[in-house]
Amino acid sequence: MQSRRQFLFSASAVAALAPVAAWAQGPAEAQLSALLERFFEQALDDSPQLVTQLGLDSGARAAAKFKLDDASLAERERNKAQNAEQLRQLKAIDRSSLSGMAAVNYDSVLFGIETTDAAARRFDYGFLGAGFPYVVSQLSGSYQSAPDFLDSQHRIETKEDADAYLARLEAFATVMDQETERARRDHGLGALPPDFVIERALTQMTGLRSAPADSPLVSSVVRRTAEKGIAGDYGAQASRIYTDKVLPALERQIALFEAARPRAVHDAGCWRLPDGEAYYEHALHASTTTRLTAEEIHQMGLDQARSLSARADTILKGQGLTQGSVGERIQALFKDPKHHYPNTDPGKVQLISDLNAMVAEAYKWLPQAFGTLPKAPMEVRRVPAFIEAGAPGGYYNQPSLDGSRPGIYWINLRDSAENPKWTLPTLTYHEGVPGHHLQLTLQQEADLPMIRRATFLSAYGEGWALYSEELAKEMGVYDRDPLGELGMLQAALFRAARLVVDTGLHAKRWSREKAIETMTSIDGSPASAATTEIERYCVWPGQACSYMVGKLEWLRLREKAKAALGPRFDLRKFHDAGLLIGAVPLTVLESVVDGHIAQTRA
C-alpha cells in the first residue's frame, strides 16, 4: 500500500543527478528539465519532513531537521496558489515539441498538478485536491503519523540530531494545533467525519496520551541517545516538552473531537460532504488515472469477483472444503487455528522471521522475470503497536539512496489470526518483491528527473503490486502450495471487493455495515479486518479502486504486447519497459508499451 505523491531520494543523489538535462535535446526539453528540477526544489523547501525522508537534512538543508511540515490554513492556501502557478508554468511549454521520455515526463507531472488544481478550485476542505476529505481521522493527522516519523525517520547520530529531535517534538504540538484549527473549520463547512471514524480516532488519540516515561515520544530519544553515547539529559528535556506542550495540544484535539461526536452522523460515504458526489468523481480520477465512472468500476468489481470465486472454488473443493459459499469457506479457513501463528510476542517474532525468509526465496526467481533488479535492501518490520488499531494490514516505505535506511515492509500484527500462514506469501510479494519494493526502488534508481523518481501514482504502483501477486503464481511459487494459491486468489477477491464496496459507499450510499457484510461475503476476510478496511475507504475515497483497475491494465497491456510481438515477446524486456519509466498515468503507460512494441519490431 502507498499513498499520495512521495519523494524518495538521498543527499548524494541530488548532487549526482542535478544535471537532469542529459535527456534534453531541444529548447522545449531543456525548459522542461529546468522546470522539473525547480518543482523538486520547491517541494524540498515546503517540507522539512520530506527533506529528512530523503536523507537531505545536512549541509545547506541541515535546518530542516529542526522542523515539521506546516499544517496551517495559510499554508494550505499558499500550496494551492503554488500548485496553480506550477500548472501555468508547465503548460507554457510547447508539448508538441516533446517526444520520447521528455513527453512521458511532461504528461506524468502534468497529470498530478492538473488533477490537484481542478479539485483545489472546487473543494475547500480536507487535504489539497480530492481523496483525503478529513485532515484528522484514524488514518490522517500528525497525532497518527508524527510519533512514527520521529522514531523511524528522524535519525539520531549526533548531539545536533538529538537537539533537533527536541525541536521537532515541540513543533509537534504546534502542528497538532494547526490541524485542530483546520479540522474545526472543516467541521463547520460540513466536512465532519462519520461517528465511527471519530470513535476510532479518539481511541488512538487517547492511546497516545500517557505518562512521559511510558510515551514513545520520550523513550525514542532516550534510547537512541544512549545507544550513540550522546551526553545530556534528553529524557528530562523530552518529558518537559511532552508534558508542557504536546499533551495540552493533544488534549485540545481530543476535546474538539469529543465536542463533535454528538453532531456526527453514521452515513459513511463522501456523498454527504459539500459537493460530495463531484468530490468522489475527482477522487476516482486522481486514484485510477482514468475516466471510469463509479458504475463502471462497480460492475468491474462484480465481474472480477465472479471469475475469481470460480477459481477459488476449484481449489477449495480440492482441499475437501465443499460446503457453503466461497466467502464462507474462506472465512472458515481464516478461523482455523492450525493456520495461525500464536498471538504472542514469540509467535509474532517467528512470523516476521518467516516473512524475511520468503523475501529471500523470492529474490532467487526474480531474474527469470526481470532484466533489471533493485540494489537497495528491504526489511520486514511490525507496525508500531501504538498505531496498529487503525493501520492497514501491510504497507511499505521506500529506502533512501544513501543506504542509511532500507526499504521497509510493515505488517500489522495486532492479531495474528488476521494473518493466517496461507495469506502471507501473497502479502509479501505485494509489499516486497516483486511488488512495491522492486517497483519503487527501480524507479528511484532509474535515469529520471528527481521529481519523476519521487512520484507515486496509485493505479500504476498499486496496480503493479497486485499484478505482482499473480506474477508470483506464474513463476511457479504455488505449484506445491494450493493454499498459498488460494491466498493469492483471496487477495485478488479482496481487491475486487474493494471496487464494489468503495463505489457502494460513496456513489450508491451504502452504509458502513452493508459494506462490511459485502466485503466478507466476497473475500471471506474476518469481520475485524473488513471493518478496518471499510473505515479506511470512508476516509480515503477512491484509492481502494486503484489496485484492481491498475492490475487489469498491466495484464491487458502485457497481452497486447504478446499478441503484437509473438515469439519476439520477452517478459523481462516488457517489465523493464514498464518499470524503468517510473510511475505514470495508465494512459501514458499504454503509449510506453506501444513504443516498446514498435521498437522491438524495428
Side-chain angles (χ1 to χ4, degrees), residues 62-87:
K65 66 185 171 187
F66 289 82
K67 304 173 185 177
L68 294 178
D69 293 357
D70 188 339
S72 66
L73 282 165
E75 180 67 6
R76 185 187 191 278
E77 288 304 305
R78 193 193 67 79
N79 288 336
K80 178 179 176 180
Q82 179 173 276
N83 188 83
E85 175 59 17
Q86 289 180 342
L87 180 60

PDB file of all heavy atoms in Angstrom, residues 62-87:
ATOM      1  N   ALA A  62      20.460  21.531   6.607  1.00  0.00           N
ATOM      2  CA  ALA A  62      20.520  20.978   7.966  1.00  0.00           C
ATOM      3  C   ALA A  62      19.422  21.539   8.859  1.00  0.00           C
ATOM      4  O   ALA A  62      18.953  20.863   9.788  1.00  0.00           O
ATOM      5  CB  ALA A  62      21.888  21.248   8.572  1.00  0.00           C
ATOM      6  N   ALA A  63      18.980  22.762   8.595  1.00  0.00           N
ATOM      7  CA  ALA A  63      17.950  23.371   9.440  1.00  0.00           C
ATOM      8  C   ALA A  63      16.621  22.631   9.352  1.00  0.00           C
ATOM      9  O   ALA A  63      15.788  22.728  10.261  1.00  0.00           O
ATOM     10  CB  ALA A  63      17.752  24.836   9.049  1.00  0.00           C
ATOM     11  N   ALA A  64      16.418  21.874   8.273  1.00  0.00           N
ATOM     12  CA  ALA A  64      15.135  21.180   8.094  1.00  0.00           C
ATOM     13  C   ALA A  64      14.868  20.185   9.210  1.00  0.00           C
ATOM     14  O   ALA A  64      13.718  19.974   9.595  1.00  0.00           O
ATOM     15  CB  ALA A  64      15.112  20.469   6.739  1.00  0.00           C
ATOM     16  N   LYS A  65      15.915  19.578   9.756  1.00  0.00           N
ATOM     17  CA  LYS A  65      15.689  18.521  10.745  1.00  0.00           C
ATOM     18  C   LYS A  65      15.221  19.074  12.089  1.00  0.00           C
ATOM     19  O   LYS A  65      14.887  18.299  12.989  1.00  0.00           O
ATOM     20  CB  LYS A  65      16.937  17.671  10.920  1.00  0.00           C
ATOM     21  CG  LYS A  65      18.142  18.357  11.509  1.00  0.00           C
ATOM     22  CD  LYS A  65      19.320  17.390  11.498  1.00  0.00           C
ATOM     23  CE  LYS A  65      20.626  18.078  11.885  1.00  0.00           C
ATOM     24  NZ  LYS A  65      21.776  17.170  11.720  1.00  0.00           N
ATOM     25  N   PHE A  66      15.161  20.397  12.226  1.00  0.00           N
ATOM     26  CA  PHE A  66      14.629  21.018  13.433  1.00  0.00           C
ATOM     27  C   PHE A  66      13.144  21.370  13.279  1.00  0.00           C
ATOM     28  O   PHE A  66      12.558  21.953  14.185  1.00  0.00           O
ATOM     29  CB  PHE A  66      15.423  22.288  13.760  1.00  0.00           C
ATOM     30  CG  PHE A  66      16.819  22.037  14.244  1.00  0.00           C
ATOM     31  CD1 PHE A  66      17.840  21.793  13.347  1.00  0.00           C
ATOM     32  CD2 PHE A  66      17.111  22.036  15.611  1.00  0.00           C
ATOM     33  CE1 PHE A  66      19.137  21.560  13.793  1.00  0.00           C
ATOM     34  CE2 PHE A  66      18.396  21.801  16.055  1.00  0.00           C
ATOM     35  CZ  PHE A  66      19.419  21.553  15.158  1.00  0.00           C
ATOM     36  N   LYS A  67      12.544  21.029  12.131  1.00  0.00           N
ATOM     37  CA  LYS A  67      11.182  21.475  11.837  1.00  0.00           C
ATOM     38  C   LYS A  67      10.292  20.319  11.406  1.00  0.00           C
ATOM     39  O   LYS A  67      10.765  19.294  10.930  1.00  0.00           O
ATOM     40  CB  LYS A  67      11.200  22.513  10.711  1.00  0.00           C
ATOM     41  CG  LYS A  67      12.090  23.724  10.985  1.00  0.00           C
ATOM     42  CD  LYS A  67      12.177  24.596   9.737  1.00  0.00           C
ATOM     43  CE  LYS A  67      13.149  25.753   9.930  1.00  0.00           C
ATOM     44  NZ  LYS A  67      13.283  26.564   8.690  1.00  0.00           N
ATOM     45  N   LEU A  68       8.986  20.527  11.530  1.00  0.00           N
ATOM     46  CA  LEU A  68       7.980  19.663  10.935  1.00  0.00           C
ATOM     47  C   LEU A  68       7.219  20.472   9.880  1.00  0.00           C
ATOM     48  O   LEU A  68       7.303  21.695   9.833  1.00  0.00           O
ATOM     49  CB  LEU A  68       7.009  19.128  11.990  1.00  0.00           C
ATOM     50  CG  LEU A  68       7.576  18.188  13.042  1.00  0.00           C
ATOM     51  CD1 LEU A  68       6.493  17.788  14.038  1.00  0.00           C
ATOM     52  CD2 LEU A  68       8.197  16.943  12.412  1.00  0.00           C
ATOM     53  N   ASP A  69       6.465  19.786   9.050  1.00  0.00           N
ATOM     54  CA  ASP A  69       5.715  20.468   7.991  1.00  0.00           C
ATOM     55  C   ASP A  69       4.640  21.375   8.580  1.00  0.00           C
ATOM     56  O   ASP A  69       3.940  21.006   9.533  1.00  0.00           O
ATOM     57  CB  ASP A  69       5.048  19.441   7.069  1.00  0.00           C
ATOM     58  CG  ASP A  69       6.045  18.632   6.263  1.00  0.00           C
ATOM     59  OD1 ASP A  69       7.261  18.901   6.374  1.00  0.00           O
ATOM     60  OD2 ASP A  69       5.601  17.723   5.536  1.00  0.00           O
ATOM     61  N   ASP A  70       4.503  22.534   7.995  1.00  0.00           N
ATOM     62  CA  ASP A  70       3.465  23.494   8.368  1.00  0.00           C
ATOM     63  C   ASP A  70       2.110  22.939   7.933  1.00  0.00           C
ATOM     64  O   ASP A  70       1.911  22.596   6.763  1.00  0.00           O
ATOM     65  CB  ASP A  70       3.755  24.824   7.673  1.00  0.00           C
ATOM     66  CG  ASP A  70       2.848  25.963   8.130  1.00  0.00           C
ATOM     67  OD1 ASP A  70       1.766  25.688   8.672  1.00  0.00           O
ATOM     68  OD2 ASP A  70       3.228  27.127   7.928  1.00  0.00           O
ATOM     69  N   ALA A  71       1.170  22.845   8.873  1.00  0.00           N
ATOM     70  CA  ALA A  71      -0.159  22.305   8.567  1.00  0.00           C
ATOM     71  C   ALA A  71      -1.243  23.368   8.681  1.00  0.00           C
ATOM     72  O   ALA A  71      -2.427  23.030   8.777  1.00  0.00           O
ATOM     73  CB  ALA A  71      -0.473  21.136   9.501  1.00  0.00           C
ATOM     74  N   SER A  72      -0.874  24.630   8.651  1.00  0.00           N
ATOM     75  CA  SER A  72      -1.833  25.708   8.876  1.00  0.00           C
ATOM     76  C   SER A  72      -2.741  25.939   7.676  1.00  0.00           C
ATOM     77  O   SER A  72      -2.442  25.540   6.553  1.00  0.00           O
ATOM     78  CB  SER A  72      -1.094  27.011   9.207  1.00  0.00           C
ATOM     79  OG  SER A  72      -0.353  27.448   8.080  1.00  0.00           O
ATOM     80  N   LEU A  73      -3.828  26.654   7.930  1.00  0.00           N
ATOM     81  CA  LEU A  73      -4.724  27.050   6.846  1.00  0.00           C
ATOM     82  C   LEU A  73      -4.013  27.962   5.857  1.00  0.00           C
ATOM     83  O   LEU A  73      -4.226  27.867   4.642  1.00  0.00           O
ATOM     84  CB  LEU A  73      -5.947  27.767   7.425  1.00  0.00           C
ATOM     85  CG  LEU A  73      -7.023  26.880   8.056  1.00  0.00           C
ATOM     86  CD1 LEU A  73      -7.972  27.722   8.893  1.00  0.00           C
ATOM     87  CD2 LEU A  73      -7.786  26.130   6.970  1.00  0.00           C
ATOM     88  N   ALA A  74      -3.159  28.841   6.373  1.00  0.00           N
ATOM     89  CA  ALA A  74      -2.418  29.745   5.486  1.00  0.00           C
ATOM     90  C   ALA A  74      -1.503  28.958   4.553  1.00  0.00           C
ATOM     91  O   ALA A  74      -1.371  29.306   3.368  1.00  0.00           O
ATOM     92  CB  ALA A  74      -1.606  30.735   6.316  1.00  0.00           C
ATOM     93  N   GLU A  75      -0.887  27.903   5.070  1.00  0.00           N
ATOM     94  CA  GLU A  75      -0.009  27.083   4.236  1.00  0.00           C
ATOM     95  C   GLU A  75      -0.810  26.337   3.179  1.00  0.00           C
ATOM     96  O   GLU A  75      -0.352  26.172   2.047  1.00  0.00           O
ATOM     97  CB  GLU A  75       0.764  26.092   5.113  1.00  0.00           C
ATOM     98  CG  GLU A  75       1.718  25.179   4.360  1.00  0.00           C
ATOM     99  CD  GLU A  75       2.893  25.896   3.727  1.00  0.00           C
ATOM    100  OE1 GLU A  75       3.061  27.117   3.951  1.00  0.00           O
ATOM    101  OE2 GLU A  75       3.664  25.246   2.994  1.00  0.00           O
ATOM    102  N   ARG A  76      -2.008  25.911   3.528  1.00  0.00           N
ATOM    103  CA  ARG A  76      -2.856  25.256   2.529  1.00  0.00           C
ATOM    104  C   ARG A  76      -3.154  26.200   1.372  1.00  0.00           C
ATOM    105  O   ARG A  76      -3.079  25.808   0.200  1.00  0.00           O
ATOM    106  CB  ARG A  76      -4.163  24.782   3.162  1.00  0.00           C
ATOM    107  CG  ARG A  76      -5.064  23.985   2.217  1.00  0.00           C
ATOM    108  CD  ARG A  76      -6.412  23.698   2.847  1.00  0.00           C
ATOM    109  NE  ARG A  76      -7.185  22.718   2.076  1.00  0.00           N
ATOM    110  CZ  ARG A  76      -7.902  22.991   1.015  1.00  0.00           C
ATOM    111  NH1 ARG A  76      -7.967  24.230   0.552  1.00  0.00           N
ATOM    112  NH2 ARG A  76      -8.577  22.026   0.392  1.00  0.00           N
ATOM    113  N   GLU A  77      -3.470  27.446   1.684  1.00  0.00           N
ATOM    114  CA  GLU A  77      -3.752  28.423   0.637  1.00  0.00           C
ATOM    115  C   GLU A  77      -2.506  28.715  -0.195  1.00  0.00           C
ATOM    116  O   GLU A  77      -2.586  28.881  -1.415  1.00  0.00           O
ATOM    117  CB  GLU A  77      -4.299  29.708   1.258  1.00  0.00           C
ATOM    118  CG  GLU A  77      -5.717  29.573   1.784  1.00  0.00           C
ATOM    119  CD  GLU A  77      -6.684  29.092   0.728  1.00  0.00           C
ATOM    120  OE1 GLU A  77      -6.768  29.733  -0.344  1.00  0.00           O
ATOM    121  OE2 GLU A  77      -7.349  28.059   0.949  1.00  0.00           O
ATOM    122  N   ARG A  78      -1.347  28.782   0.461  1.00  0.00           N
ATOM    123  CA  ARG A  78      -0.108  29.016  -0.278  1.00  0.00           C
ATOM    124  C   ARG A  78       0.182  27.850  -1.211  1.00  0.00           C
ATOM    125  O   ARG A  78       0.584  28.041  -2.371  1.00  0.00           O
ATOM    126  CB  ARG A  78       1.055  29.212   0.704  1.00  0.00           C
ATOM    127  CG  ARG A  78       2.325  29.765   0.060  1.00  0.00           C
ATOM    128  CD  ARG A  78       3.522  29.641   0.973  1.00  0.00           C
ATOM    129  NE  ARG A  78       3.883  28.241   1.173  1.00  0.00           N
ATOM    130  CZ  ARG A  78       4.565  27.520   0.289  1.00  0.00           C
ATOM    131  NH1 ARG A  78       4.945  28.038  -0.865  1.00  0.00           N
ATOM    132  NH2 ARG A  78       4.847  26.253   0.547  1.00  0.00           N
ATOM    133  N   ASN A  79      -0.024  26.615  -0.736  1.00  0.00           N
ATOM    134  CA  ASN A  79       0.190  25.433  -1.578  1.00  0.00           C
ATOM    135  C   ASN A  79      -0.759  25.416  -2.769  1.00  0.00           C
ATOM    136  O   ASN A  79      -0.381  25.028  -3.872  1.00  0.00           O
ATOM    137  CB  ASN A  79       0.007  24.155  -0.756  1.00  0.00           C
ATOM    138  CG  ASN A  79       1.140  23.916   0.214  1.00  0.00           C
ATOM    139  OD1 ASN A  79       2.253  24.410   0.019  1.00  0.00           O
ATOM    140  ND2 ASN A  79       0.875  23.175   1.272  1.00  0.00           N
ATOM    141  N   LYS A  80      -1.993  25.842  -2.528  1.00  0.00           N
ATOM    142  CA  LYS A  80      -2.975  25.899  -3.608  1.00  0.00           C
ATOM    143  C   LYS A  80      -2.517  26.869  -4.693  1.00  0.00           C
ATOM    144  O   LYS A  80      -2.556  26.554  -5.891  1.00  0.00           O
ATOM    145  CB  LYS A  80      -4.326  26.322  -3.046  1.00  0.00           C
ATOM    146  CG  LYS A  80      -5.431  26.471  -4.084  1.00  0.00           C
ATOM    147  CD  LYS A  80      -6.738  26.880  -3.397  1.00  0.00           C
ATOM    148  CE  LYS A  80      -7.842  27.129  -4.411  1.00  0.00           C
ATOM    149  NZ  LYS A  80      -9.113  27.529  -3.736  1.00  0.00           N
ATOM    150  N   ALA A  81      -2.049  28.049  -4.284  1.00  0.00           N
ATOM    151  CA  ALA A  81      -1.590  29.040  -5.255  1.00  0.00           C
ATOM    152  C   ALA A  81      -0.331  28.563  -5.968  1.00  0.00           C
ATOM    153  O   ALA A  81      -0.176  28.767  -7.187  1.00  0.00           O
ATOM    154  CB  ALA A  81      -1.329  30.364  -4.542  1.00  0.00           C
ATOM    155  N   GLN A  82       0.558  27.922  -5.231  1.00  0.00           N
ATOM    156  CA  GLN A  82       1.789  27.433  -5.852  1.00  0.00           C
ATOM    157  C   GLN A  82       1.494  26.338  -6.868  1.00  0.00           C
ATOM    158  O   GLN A  82       2.094  26.304  -7.957  1.00  0.00           O
ATOM    159  CB  GLN A  82       2.737  26.890  -4.786  1.00  0.00           C
ATOM    160  CG  GLN A  82       4.037  26.336  -5.358  1.00  0.00           C
ATOM    161  CD  GLN A  82       5.016  25.962  -4.263  1.00  0.00           C
ATOM    162  OE1 GLN A  82       5.752  26.806  -3.757  1.00  0.00           O
ATOM    163  NE2 GLN A  82       5.028  24.686  -3.878  1.00  0.00           N
ATOM    164  N   ASN A  83       0.571  25.451  -6.548  1.00  0.00           N
ATOM    165  CA  ASN A  83       0.207  24.393  -7.490  1.00  0.00           C
ATOM    166  C   ASN A  83      -0.367  24.987  -8.774  1.00  0.00           C
ATOM    167  O   ASN A  83      -0.049  24.548  -9.882  1.00  0.00           O
ATOM    168  CB  ASN A  83      -0.800  23.442  -6.838  1.00  0.00           C
ATOM    169  CG  ASN A  83      -1.068  22.211  -7.679  1.00  0.00           C
ATOM    170  OD1 ASN A  83      -0.325  21.242  -7.643  1.00  0.00           O
ATOM    171  ND2 ASN A  83      -2.159  22.233  -8.446  1.00  0.00           N
ATOM    172  N   ALA A  84      -1.216  26.015  -8.625  1.00  0.00           N
ATOM    173  CA  ALA A  84      -1.794  26.670  -9.804  1.00  0.00           C
ATOM    174  C   ALA A  84      -0.713  27.332 -10.647  1.00  0.00           C
ATOM    175  O   ALA A  84      -0.757  27.297 -11.891  1.00  0.00           O
ATOM    176  CB  ALA A  84      -2.838  27.689  -9.368  1.00  0.00           C
ATOM    177  N   GLU A  85       0.260  27.942  -9.993  1.00  0.00           N
ATOM    178  CA  GLU A  85       1.347  28.593 -10.722  1.00  0.00           C
ATOM    179  C   GLU A  85       2.224  27.551 -11.418  1.00  0.00           C
ATOM    180  O   GLU A  85       2.676  27.760 -12.554  1.00  0.00           O
ATOM    181  CB  GLU A  85       2.182  29.438  -9.762  1.00  0.00           C
ATOM    182  CG  GLU A  85       3.426  30.067 -10.371  1.00  0.00           C
ATOM    183  CD  GLU A  85       3.143  30.994 -11.541  1.00  0.00           C
ATOM    184  OE1 GLU A  85       1.985  31.435 -11.713  1.00  0.00           O
ATOM    185  OE2 GLU A  85       4.096  31.296 -12.304  1.00  0.00           O
ATOM    186  N   GLN A  86       2.472  26.421 -10.777  1.00  0.00           N
ATOM    187  CA  GLN A  86       3.239  25.354 -11.422  1.00  0.00           C
ATOM    188  C   GLN A  86       2.517  24.839 -12.660  1.00  0.00           C
ATOM    189  O   GLN A  86       3.151  24.559 -13.689  1.00  0.00           O
ATOM    190  CB  GLN A  86       3.500  24.221 -10.438  1.00  0.00           C
ATOM    191  CG  GLN A  86       4.494  24.553  -9.347  1.00  0.00           C
ATOM    192  CD  GLN A  86       4.720  23.395  -8.393  1.00  0.00           C
ATOM    193  OE1 GLN A  86       3.923  22.460  -8.319  1.00  0.00           O
ATOM    194  NE2 GLN A  86       5.812  23.445  -7.641  1.00  0.00           N
ATOM    195  N   LEU A  87       1.207  24.738 -12.569  1.00  0.00           N
ATOM    196  CA  LEU A  87       0.434  24.304 -13.734  1.00  0.00           C
ATOM    197  C   LEU A  87       0.572  25.308 -14.869  1.00  0.00           C
ATOM    198  O   LEU A  87       0.751  24.924 -16.038  1.00  0.00           O
ATOM    199  CB  LEU A  87      -1.035  24.138 -13.340  1.00  0.00           C
ATOM    200  CG  LEU A  87      -1.985  23.696 -14.457  1.00  0.00           C
ATOM    201  CD1 LEU A  87      -1.576  22.341 -15.024  1.00  0.00           C
ATOM    202  CD2 LEU A  87      -3.425  23.644 -13.942  1.00  0.00           C
TER     203      LEU A  87
END
